[in-house]
Amino acid sequence: MLAAKKNLVDKPMDESVIENLSTAIILLDPELEIIFSNQAAETLLMESAAKMRGESIAKIIRSEDGFLKRIDEARTLERPLTARQICLVTNNATTI
Protein backbone atom coordinates (compact mmCIF):
# COMPACT_ATOMS: atom_id res chain seq x y z
CA MET A 1 0.00 0.00 0.00
CA LEU A 2 2.75 2.50 0.82
CA ALA A 3 4.30 1.92 -2.60
CA ALA A 4 1.01 2.93 -4.25
CA LYS A 5 0.89 6.08 -2.16
CA LYS A 6 4.51 6.87 -2.96
CA ASN A 7 3.78 6.66 -6.70
CA LEU A 8 0.84 9.03 -6.35
CA VAL A 9 2.67 11.54 -4.18
CA ASP A 10 6.31 11.55 -5.27
CA LYS A 11 7.70 14.51 -3.37
CA PRO A 12 7.26 15.52 0.28
CA MET A 13 6.06 18.92 -0.91
CA ASP A 14 3.32 17.29 -3.02
CA GLU A 15 2.02 15.44 0.02
CA SER A 16 2.15 18.63 2.08
CA VAL A 17 0.06 20.47 -0.51
CA ILE A 18 -2.53 17.65 -0.68
CA GLU A 19 -2.59 17.31 3.10
CA ASN A 20 -3.41 20.99 3.58
CA LEU A 21 -6.09 21.44 0.90
CA SER A 22 -9.53 22.44 2.17
CA THR A 23 -11.02 19.86 -0.23
CA ALA A 24 -11.38 16.32 1.12
CA ILE A 25 -9.03 13.97 -0.76
CA ILE A 26 -9.21 10.18 -0.42
CA LEU A 27 -6.90 7.92 -2.43
CA LEU A 28 -7.94 4.29 -2.93
CA ASP A 29 -6.02 1.22 -4.01
CA PRO A 30 -7.36 -1.18 -6.70
CA GLU A 31 -9.40 -3.04 -4.05
CA LEU A 32 -11.08 0.26 -3.03
CA GLU A 33 -9.24 0.37 0.28
CA ILE A 34 -8.13 3.75 1.58
CA ILE A 35 -4.40 4.40 1.23
CA PHE A 36 -4.44 8.13 1.98
CA SER A 37 -6.84 10.75 3.29
CA ASN A 38 -6.04 14.37 4.01
CA GLN A 39 -7.07 16.50 6.99
CA ALA A 40 -10.18 17.78 5.20
CA ALA A 41 -11.33 14.17 4.68
CA GLU A 42 -10.70 13.43 8.36
CA THR A 43 -12.84 16.42 9.31
CA LEU A 44 -15.61 15.59 6.84
CA LEU A 45 -15.82 11.91 7.75
CA MET A 46 -15.06 12.39 11.46
CA GLU A 47 -12.40 9.66 11.40
CA SER A 48 -8.63 9.81 11.66
CA ALA A 49 -6.53 9.02 8.61
CA ALA A 50 -4.80 6.28 10.60
CA LYS A 51 -8.13 4.61 11.40
CA MET A 52 -9.35 4.84 7.79
CA ARG A 53 -6.10 3.59 6.20
CA GLY A 54 -6.54 0.04 4.92
CA GLU A 55 -10.33 0.09 5.32
CA SER A 56 -12.71 -0.41 2.42
CA ILE A 57 -14.32 2.87 1.33
CA ALA A 58 -17.67 1.04 1.62
CA LYS A 59 -17.03 0.53 5.34
CA ILE A 60 -16.32 4.23 5.89
CA ILE A 61 -19.16 5.76 3.84
CA ARG A 62 -22.53 4.72 2.49
CA SER A 63 -24.49 6.40 -0.24
CA GLU A 64 -27.94 5.84 -1.61
CA ASP A 65 -27.32 7.54 -4.95
CA GLY A 66 -24.94 4.98 -6.44
CA PHE A 67 -21.81 6.87 -5.42
CA LEU A 68 -19.90 3.73 -4.42
CA LYS A 69 -20.74 2.20 -7.79
CA ARG A 70 -19.37 5.34 -9.47
CA ILE A 71 -16.15 4.91 -7.48
CA ASP A 72 -15.79 1.35 -8.74
CA GLU A 73 -16.50 2.44 -12.33
CA ALA A 74 -13.87 5.20 -12.08
CA ARG A 75 -11.38 2.59 -10.84
CA THR A 76 -12.23 0.27 -13.72
CA LEU A 77 -11.82 3.09 -16.24
CA GLU A 78 -8.69 4.35 -14.44
CA ARG A 79 -10.11 7.87 -14.19
CA PRO A 80 -10.40 10.22 -11.24
CA LEU A 81 -13.81 10.85 -9.72
CA THR A 82 -14.99 14.25 -8.59
CA ALA A 83 -18.34 14.45 -6.86
CA ARG A 84 -20.18 17.50 -5.58
CA GLN A 85 -23.38 17.90 -3.62
CA ILE A 86 -23.86 14.24 -2.80
CA CYS A 87 -25.35 12.82 0.36
CA LEU A 88 -23.12 10.39 2.26
CA VAL A 89 -23.61 8.55 5.52
CA THR A 90 -20.55 7.95 7.67
CA ASN A 91 -19.97 4.72 9.56
CA ASN A 92 -21.28 6.42 12.72
CA ALA A 93 -24.60 7.17 10.92
CA THR A 94 -23.96 10.88 10.42
CA THR A 95 -25.33 12.27 7.16
CA ILE A 96 -22.94 14.63 5.38
Side-chain angles (χ1 to χ4, degrees), residues 65-94:
D65 65 357
F67 181 62
L68 295 176
K69 183 178 178 186
R70 288 175 51 207
I71 291 173
D72 191 43
E73 288 171 355
R75 179 196 59 83
T76 302
L77 297 172
E78 296 182 357
R79 296 198 173 171
L81 173 65
T82 300
R84 293 179 175 81
Q85 298 181 338
I86 59 170
C87 183
L88 300 174
V89 180
T90 65
N91 64 353
N92 65 2
T94 302

Side-chain angles (χ1 to χ4, degrees), residues 37-39 41-52 60 90-92:
S37 56
N38 67 355
Q39 289 178 331
E42 288 180 296
T43 301
L44 179 69
L45 300 173
M46 296 175 279
E47 289 285 358
S48 72
K51 188 171 182 180
M52 289 188 284
I60 302 297
T90 65
N91 64 353
N92 65 2

Side-chain angles (χ1 to χ4, degrees), residues 2 8-9 12 14 20 24 29 37 40 44 52 61 83 87-90 96:
L2 288 177
L8 293 169
V9 184
D14 294 342
N20 291 297
D29 69 11
S37 56
L44 179 69
M52 289 188 284
I61 61 171
C87 183
L88 300 174
V89 180
T90 65
I96 52 174

